[in-house]
Amino acid sequence: MKWLQYTLSISLIVISFTPTYHGMEIIGGHEVKPHSKPYMASIQIYDMTIGHYVHNCGGALIERRWVLTAAHCKSSELTRVVLGAHSLKWNEKSQQKLAVKKQHSHSQYNENKHANDIMLVELSSEAKINKYVNLLKLPADKGADVEPGTRCTVAGWGATKPNSNFASDLLQEVDLTVVDRKICNYIYRGNLNITEDMICAGDGQGKESAYKGDSGGPFICKGVYKAIVTAGPDIPNANQPGIYTLLSKKYLAWIAKVIGVQTYNMTAEELY
């Protein structure tokens, strides 16, 4: 019923466009069971003004040396990835803090259009797999689409209140509903084209949202890793769902190519 109300409200209301932003946060969610999502990664940058690392984006560990995130999370600042965390405030024994070797953003990433907003972060050393740190498998369905009305989950350490610049200490999650592309394109008409490589999702009430600091995090539907948090409205809006980069066939091929090439080069160097 909520989904029907959401659809009707969109079709009946004349919607004014609110600019989207890069950097999302969990609004209206709840704390996850500690270490129940061992694939979650906190991508952090070194803040010179305060003298320590701060959370910038989320991501998912897909291989021992690779974290998948959003291209707009790329930073020229000193960057590291923290795995095995529940609290970012406390130096938990479960945490692994790894330096970043290289950031591989998609060559056709377009910031204004939110197109190809996908990036692989190559770690300087392998993550140690255990009960606190584990891999999130890429979809085995060759990038199949997600049906409108499907309930999916987003997790992250983004701020929990609108207009806040402070990351959440504890990992949060929220459930959202996938919105039909035709409806989403109507909402963003003239400002953004929702392509077949994107999906939209929201709660229809403007109370729950992947919203700052949660960009790049995994969007999981029925237990399957389906998309990456990309963008959303400046303030949670019942009539404006967030945008996610679908792990489509072309992106799965891109991931395989990047990881494959890097693995091949590393092996060749070791041989010589």
Side-chain angles (χ1 to χ4, degrees), residues 82-270:
V82 177
L83 304 170
H86 179 64
S87 168
L88 297 183
K89 180 179 180 181
W90 300 103
N91 188 25
E92 302 164 314
K93 292 182 179 180
S94 59
Q95 293 183 12
Q96 296 179 37
K97 299 171 183 176
L98 305 174
V100 170
K101 180 179 180 180
K102 189 174 181 180
Q103 300 170 79
H104 304 261
S105 56
H106 197 285
S107 61
Q108 295 181 320
Y109 166 56
N110 186 307
E111 180 179 5
N112 295 325
K113 295 181 179 179
H114 302 300
N116 304 301
D117 192 7
I118 185 170
M119 180 171 73
L120 279 161
V121 176
E122 184 178 3
L123 304 176
S124 60
S125 58
E126 289 190 353
K128 297 177 181 178
I129 304 301
N130 53 42
K131 66 178 182 179
Y132 302 110
V133 175
N134 211 334
L135 308 180
L136 179 59
K137 293 182 179 180
L138 292 172
D141 55 13
K142 298 182 180 181
D145 203 359
V146 184
E147 290 292 325
T150 302
R151 293 289 285 173
C152 303
T153 303
V154 180
W157 287 276
T160 56
K161 296 180 180 180
N163 302 315
S164 173
N165 293 318
F166 296 98
S168 170
D169 170 36
L170 304 176
L171 184 61
Q172 306 285 310
E173 68 178 352
V174 68
D175 293 332
L176 301 170
T177 302
V178 174
V179 180
D180 186 276
R181 280 192 190 85
K182 291 182 180 179
I183 294 174
C184 202
N185 264 313
Y186 174 76
I187 293 170
Y188 288 103
R189 63 192 185 282
N191 293 281
L192 186 64
N193 178 33
I194 308 301
T195 70
E196 294 299 312
D197 295 313
M198 301 174 181
I199 54 177
C200 297
D203 79 325
Q205 297 182 351
K207 296 179 179 179
E208 299 175 341
S209 175
Y211 183 61
K212 240 174 200 173
D214 197 39
S215 283
F219 184 78
I220 297 177
C221 306
K222 299 180 179 179
V224 179
Y225 187 11
K226 293 301 300 180
I228 299 168
V229 180
T230 296
D234 286 319
I235 298 174
N237 186 332
N239 301 310
Q240 201 167 16
I243 301 166
Y244 301 79
T245 299
L246 177 67
L247 292 179
S248 60
K249 184 177 181 179
K250 85 169 188 178
Y251 291 138
L252 292 176
W254 175 82
I255 292 168
K257 181 179 179 180
V258 173
I259 292 179
V261 168
Q262 294 301 314
T263 302
Y264 173 79
N265 288 342
M266 182 181 69
T267 303
E269 291 170 2
E270 290 175 347

Side-chain angles (χ1 to χ4, degrees), residues 1-19:
M1 181 60 72
K2 179 189 288 187
W3 174 247
L4 177 60
Q5 293 172 342
Y6 183 41
T7 305
L8 289 174
S9 68
I10 291 173
S11 63
L12 293 174
I13 296 174
V14 176
I15 303 162
S16 60
F17 180 77
T18 303

Side-chain angles (χ1 to χ4, degrees), residues 46-52 54 77:
Y46 192 78
D47 189 329
M48 297 292 291
T49 60
I50 57 179
H52 62 74
V54 294
E77 304 294 330

Side-chain angles (χ1 to χ4, degrees), residues 14-80:
V14 176
I15 303 162
S16 60
F17 180 77
T18 303
T20 58
Y21 57 85
H22 287 311
M24 309 270 284
E25 58 192 278
I26 297 295
I27 299 292
H30 60 272
E31 179 185 349
V32 308
K33 179 182 178 181
H35 307 293
S36 61
K37 300 181 184 296
Y39 49 79
M40 288 297 300
S42 169
I43 301 173
Q44 304 182 348
I45 57 175
Y46 192 78
D47 189 329
M48 297 292 291
T49 60
I50 57 179
H52 62 74
Y53 283 94
V54 294
H55 176 77
N56 182 46
C57 280
L61 185 71
I62 60 169
E63 295 287 348
R64 291 173 185 262
R65 281 183 179 264
W66 297 92
V67 170
L68 186 60
T69 186
H72 74 262
C73 292
K74 188 173 185 177
S75 174
S76 59
E77 304 294 330
L78 184 62
T79 308
R80 73 175 183 183

